[in-house]
Amino acid sequence: MYKLMIRTSFAAAHNLINYQGDCENLHGHNYKVRVTLEGPELNSIGLLCDFKELKEALHGVVKKVDHQFLNELKPFDVLNPSAENIAKYFFDEVARALAAGPPAELKGINPPSAPCRVREVTVWEADITTATY
């Protein structure tokens, strides 16, 4: 099984609803996100997924949350913006973007990616705290 990983970061504010403690107050994090893809084979030129395609998919999600108050954004206007829920959000959004295929500017440049899927997403709220979906 082949695995491919990419990391990025973003800054955002949130507060945890129905939480008894400091985190119920508005506060922010410099989040780190790692996305891992996996697949059993490589495409005709030896790639699981073009890093450019994966970067574009991840960047599209980051643009929605970077320097935002997460509690005001869908789905976190209903769902608590915990690290666990943020990890699942990134998992679902990156998977959706990759399933839609490469952006127009990348179509036809290189052979299509091999069959692969998002295996996991890890979100760091701080250097010593992570959540993985």
Side-chain angles (χ1 to χ4, degrees):
M1 187 66 64
Y2 294 95
K3 292 182 186 174
L4 190 79
M5 290 182 232
I6 187 172
R7 265 192 353 193
T8 192
S9 60
F10 69 96
H14 73 151
N15 64 289
L16 296 179
I17 308 303
N18 297 321
Y19 179 85
Q20 301 300 311
D22 291 340
C23 293
E24 73 180 324
N25 298 318
L26 178 63
H27 63 285
H29 296 282
N30 291 317
Y31 292 95
K32 294 178 190 168
V33 179
R34 181 181 66 211
V35 176
T36 303
L37 302 184
E38 73 175 3
E41 58 191 57
L42 303 178
N43 70 5
S44 63
I45 62 169
L47 302 177
L48 179 62
C49 178
D50 187 338
F51 273 118
K52 287 182 183 181
E53 186 177 342
L54 180 53
K55 285 178 189 176
E56 286 294 319
L58 183 54
H59 180 69
V61 183
V62 169
K63 281 188 347 186
K64 296 176 187 177
V65 297
D66 191 32
H67 286 83
Q68 299 294 320
F69 177 39
L70 297 179
N71 296 67
E72 294 178 342
L73 304 177
K74 289 187 184 306
F76 304 114
D77 57 341
V78 175
L79 193 63
N80 223 0
S82 64
E84 296 88 340
N85 284 330
I86 294 168
K88 183 179 185 318
Y89 172 76
F90 269 82
F91 184 102
D92 293 343
E93 292 297 306
V94 170
R96 186 176 295 115
L98 291 175
E105 63 271 12
L106 296 179
K107 284 187 179 179
I109 294 175
N110 287 311
S113 294
C116 63
R117 68 178 191 93
V118 178
R119 180 178 194 274
E120 68 180 28
V121 172
T122 300
V123 171
W124 283 257
E125 279 191 345
D127 288 340
I128 59 171
T129 56
T130 67
T132 300
Y133 179 84

